[in-house]
Structures are given as C-alpha cells and as structure tokens.
Amino acid sequence: MTEPKMVFIGGAGNMAGAVIEGLLGSGYPAERIIATGVNERKLADFSARTGVRVTTDNSAAVAEADVLVLSVKPQVMKDVCLSVAEAVSARAPLVITLAAGIPLAAYRRWLGTGVPLVRAMPNTPALVGTGVTGLYAAEDVSAEQRRIAEQLAEAVGIAHWVDDESGIDQVIAVSGSGPAYYFQFMESMIDAAEKAGMRREDAERLTLQTALGAAKLAVASDVDVAQLKRNVMSPKGTTERAIQRFLNGGLPDLVERAMGDCAARAAEMAKELDN
C-alpha cells in the first residue's frame, strides 16, 4: 500500500525535522514527504540533507496532503491555520499538531469542522530519537489515522495515547517538561561535586554518564525503580544516608507539587491560547 503523502508546515524546524529524519530512517520514502517553511536557504539545506521536497507555499503543499503536520510556534499557529483553511477544507487531510497548549476546539474554529485532528505532545529528547510523545485523537479520527499518528511518534521514541484531552496536561507534567527536571537535578549534582573539590568538567562527565546508565538500567530491568533504588542501598551505607537526606528534605512532596504546578499551568495556557 502506498504511504500517505505527508506535509510538514515548519518542516525544517528542529522538532519536525527530527520526525522527518526519524521516518526516513525507518524506511519511509522521501518522495512522500513535503516540508514547508519561510527560509528558502534553510529549506534547501534540509532538502539536500534528507531528499524531501520543500516549498514556501503552504497552501500548494496542503493541496497534496493526506497527512498535515503543523509544527509552528503557538503564537503564529492561528495565522498559519487560517491561511491554509481553504486548502484543508478541500483536501480534508488528517491534521496532527505538534504545538503545545492549543486545544482541538481552537483548530476546529480555524480550520473548520469535519477535519480529523490529533494533538501530539513530543518532548525534546525526540531530537535524539529517545522521545516521548503524548497523543490525543478527536472522535472522528479513524483507526488507520491513529496508526499513522503513532507511526510519527514512534519515529522519534515512544507513543502514549490519552483518552481525554486534559490527559495531555499530565503528559506535559511527566514527559513534556520532565527533561528539565532531570537537567536541574544533574546541574545540582555537578555544582555540589564542584563545591566538594572535583573539577567541573569531571563532575559533568560523571554525572551525565551516571544519569544515562541509571535510565538505561531502569528501561532494561524487569523490576520497578523503587527496587532498583534499594538494590544500590546497603543498610547504614552511603547511599542510604543520601536518600534519607532527600526524604527528610521533602523531595517526594516537592516533586508532586512541582508536577501539579506544571499541569495546572498547561491547562491555563490552553485557555489563554484558545482565547
């Protein structure tokens, strides 16, 4: 079966570019992908690197689309959608949005009713093929269209479907914003090691490799992370004392409240952008 023609508006940007390259790496034919943008030189460089077609004419590209992927900043999404609404109405492609915060109701106003819509919330590790993408589909999205959306997500990592649109806010709290939590913790470890006398470059090297190793071990293991933590801890040992300091300092509660704040802000931003 012929693969659907995919059009990426903002296709030469970081996230859409990562998805396109992930698709190509999995064997998706370059001739079935079109990337659009406003910077002709950037588009030309992207085409030379990937072999996909490029254009600055969004409407002309949409006229060929079976799948339309919107990958522009939330602040300009309304204008982009309104500019291609006629072409979208005529073609009725599956529309997948990679923009954070904008609810499907807004896309229906901008693009018209009767357009199948999927919200996709990727995180930045997608740029290196280890991302998490939260997905929510409108009721009129078919099983085959859901499969296509999942294929895009899995080109850069793993996919996670939510049954309710508000579930995207929880995905943002866990995986969308989650990389920054780990970066903060790594930064604090590096700073602490430097203050203790270690050279900063050594502290950074050891911290990052330890984080990588811990994550890979957790993914590969058949036990949960709580048990993995206990496996490192000896009674009255060094790790136990460090973990106890985290617990006494309220780390679990702090994480819970921070993630709650994140999800609440995601919901607020959805209302703001919807208006």
Side-chain angles (χ1 to χ4, degrees), residues 11 95 111-112 120 141-142 146 150 156 164 192 202 213 223 242 261:
V95 177
L111 296 174
V141 174
S142 69
R146 286 172 66 98
E150 192 167 300
V156 288
D164 185 88
D202 291 337
V223 300
D261 287 347

Side-chain angles (χ1 to χ4, degrees), residues 15 18-19 22 122 125-133 151-158:
M15 189 59 71
V19 173
L127 299 175
V128 292
T130 54
V132 175
T133 301
Q151 181 183 17
L152 261 72
E154 291 179 343
V156 288
I158 67 171

